[in-house]
């Protein structure tokens, strides 16, 4: 228990031991400041190819040399996509003419319910805000474009006092006759074309100053299904081709396994983040992440190895396990995180992945644990991948799959 203060002795507050540690482990609250606080351990190479530079270096170089390029980053939830995007953003700041916009999709709207053109509108609104900070007062034309863009983005109320005339004078009936050739992409919707023109107006001062404009969009992979992401790419992103605005987006993982190769055919550069090697013997990267956040002051080297191993290499689970173990230690009135606290955190994470597993999912997991085949093409397999119950790894250019080690541990205990 915490010591009680007397007149002569100061109070011992155990919160001051764990609270700073937990704050450094919070990936959401610190997403905009982790780089400034030097909490990120930058990867040393592309996770799929050790001979290639890290993803953020590749993205930054492409954005600087090929203005207007469009790039996609694919990986499971919690695999470290946001970290790579933030590192890309930080790398792009090295040039004075860089205009960098970081959009967290969830901050604007629910893109699962949003119409095509919404992302262009979001980019236009953010660029207008940046415009007012970077240049003199915007022209009347730009102000008018922004006002109209806001109306299109958020809607407006109009009063129509005249009854609409539904009579068709000539009585014509529209008949669509399909052509012989199928277009590569669907026809651009009128609303998208209108928003594109408004964005072009807002972009004028940046174009005149030959600025390097880069927009990074995070979170779309969590908010929309692959089918809706296709619509977003074919409408919003295609509309922005030729505008010299570089776009980097986080794309749904399932599109990486899509047989149509939509990502590879549409985007100029596609990078995939598999799960980091969780075995400390293969990689000390996960352990370095924990140390950067102060874990070595609160737990043993063995505990850090266990947390790294049972995280499965998922960055979000790595931080979650360390956070849970610290909370267990605090509730146990201990000044350090012990082995039993780490084990309790592993069970908690494993039980979380166990929830909702039906008979078919368990069958797939048992088969994979016994060394059987696992293909991401089936609906059950994809569901297990998206929910992180099965993890994807890459070694020497070869992809393979394993059951999340925390889930596997719980399944063993319940067998």
């Amino acid at each position: 228990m915490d010591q009680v203060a007397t007149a002569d002795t100061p109070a011992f507050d155990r919160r001051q031991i764990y609270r700073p540690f937990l704050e450094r482990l919070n990936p959401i609250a610190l997403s905009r400041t982790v780089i400034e606080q030097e909490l990120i351990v930058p990867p040393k190479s592309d996770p799929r190819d050790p001979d290639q530079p890290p993803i953020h270096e590749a993205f930054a170089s492409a954005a600087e040399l090929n203005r207007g390029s469009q790039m996609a980053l694919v990986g499971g939830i919690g695999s470290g996509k946001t970290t790579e995007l933030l590192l890309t953003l930080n790398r792009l700041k090295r040039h004075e003419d860089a205009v960098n916009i970081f959009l967290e999709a969830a901050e604007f709207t629910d893109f699962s319910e949003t119409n095509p053109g919404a992302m262009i509108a979001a980019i236009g609104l953010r660029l207008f805000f940046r415009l007012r900070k970077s240049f003199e007062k915007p022209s009347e034309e730009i102000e008018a474009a922004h006002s109209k863009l806001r109306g299109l983005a958020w809607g407006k109320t109009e009063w129509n006092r005249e009854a609409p005339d539904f009579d068709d004078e000539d009585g014509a009936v529209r008949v669509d006759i399909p052509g012989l050739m199928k277009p590569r992409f669907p026809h651009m919707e009128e609303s998208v074309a209108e928003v594109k023109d408004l964005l072009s107006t807002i972009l004028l001062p940046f174009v005149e100053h030959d600025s390097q404009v880069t927009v990074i969009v995070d979170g779309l992979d969590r908010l929309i299904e692959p089918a809706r992401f296709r619509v977003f790419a074919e409408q919003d992103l295609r509309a922005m081709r030729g505008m010299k605005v570089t776009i980097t987006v986080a794309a749904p993982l399932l599109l990486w396994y899509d047989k149509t190769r939509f990502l590879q055919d549409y985007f100029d550069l596609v990078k995939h983040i598999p799960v980091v090697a969780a075995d400390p013997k293969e990689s000390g990267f996960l352990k370095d992440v924990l140390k950067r956040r102060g874990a070595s002051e609160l737990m043993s080297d063995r505990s850090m190895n266990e947390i790294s191993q049972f995280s499965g290499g998922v960055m979000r689970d790595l931080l979650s396990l360390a956070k849970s173990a610290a909370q267990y230690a605090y509730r146990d009135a201990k000044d350090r995180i012990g082995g039993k606290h780490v084990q309790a955190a592993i069970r908690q994470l494993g039980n979380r992945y166990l929830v909702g597993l039906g008979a078919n999912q368990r069958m797939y997991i048992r088969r994979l644990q016994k060394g059987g085949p696992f293909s991401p093409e089936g609906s059950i397999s994809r569901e297990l991948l998206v929910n992180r119950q099965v993890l994807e790894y890459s070694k020497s250019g070869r992809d393979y799959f394993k059951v999340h080690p925390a889930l596997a541990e719980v399944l063993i205990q319940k067998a």
Side-chain angles (χ1 to χ4, degrees), residues 24 294-299 304 335-336:
R24 291 192 294 268
S296 56
E297 300 173 7
L298 291 171
M299 66 180 75
M304 282 190 285
D335 299 343
R336 285 182 61 83

Side-chain angles (χ1 to χ4, degrees), residues 329-344:
Y330 176 77
R331 289 196 290 267
D332 206 18
K334 299 296 183 182
D335 299 343
R336 285 182 61 83
I337 300 169
K340 68 175 183 178
H341 306 130
V342 173
Q343 288 300 314

Side-chain angles (χ1 to χ4, degrees), residues 205-312:
F206 297 110
V207 174
E208 292 172 353
H209 285 78
D210 200 30
S211 301
Q212 175 186 298
V213 182
T214 304
V215 177
I216 297 175
V217 184
D218 191 21
L220 275 180
D221 57 311
R222 302 191 303 270
L223 297 176
I224 58 178
E225 298 295 325
R228 288 195 67 85
F229 183 88
R230 286 174 178 266
V231 175
F232 157 71
E234 293 171 347
Q235 293 290 326
D236 293 53
L237 293 186
R238 185 162 62 97
M240 297 188 67
R241 289 282 184 182
M243 299 181 74
K244 289 190 177 181
V245 176
T246 300
I247 304 285
T248 301
V249 299
L253 172 65
L254 295 185
L255 286 176
W256 177 257
Y257 301 107
D258 194 291
K259 287 185 176 181
T260 64
R261 293 181 57 83
F262 173 80
L263 291 177
Q264 290 81 355
D265 290 342
Y266 184 85
F267 288 91
D268 302 305
L269 178 62
V270 179
K271 290 291 186 178
H272 172 235
I273 303 182
V275 179
V276 179
D279 187 350
K281 296 179 181 178
E282 295 184 31
S283 170
F285 176 75
L286 297 172
K287 198 171 171 182
D288 289 342
V289 172
L290 292 175
K291 288 181 177 179
R292 186 70 62 92
R293 284 162 169 80
S296 56
E297 300 173 7
L298 291 171
M299 66 180 75
S300 66
D301 199 67
R302 179 178 179 180
S303 291
M304 282 190 285
N305 286 339
E306 277 193 294
I307 288 176
S308 299
Q309 176 186 347
F310 285 96
S311 72

Side-chain angles (χ1 to χ4, degrees), residues 351-378:
N351 283 322
R352 196 172 76 205
Y353 283 124
L354 185 63
V355 173
L357 278 183
N360 289 333
Q361 288 91 341
R362 287 174 182 256
M363 180 185 69
Y364 273 62
I365 286 176
R366 285 195 298 270
R367 185 174 63 189
L368 179 58
Q369 285 180 306
K370 294 178 181 179
F374 183 90
S375 171
E377 296 178 6

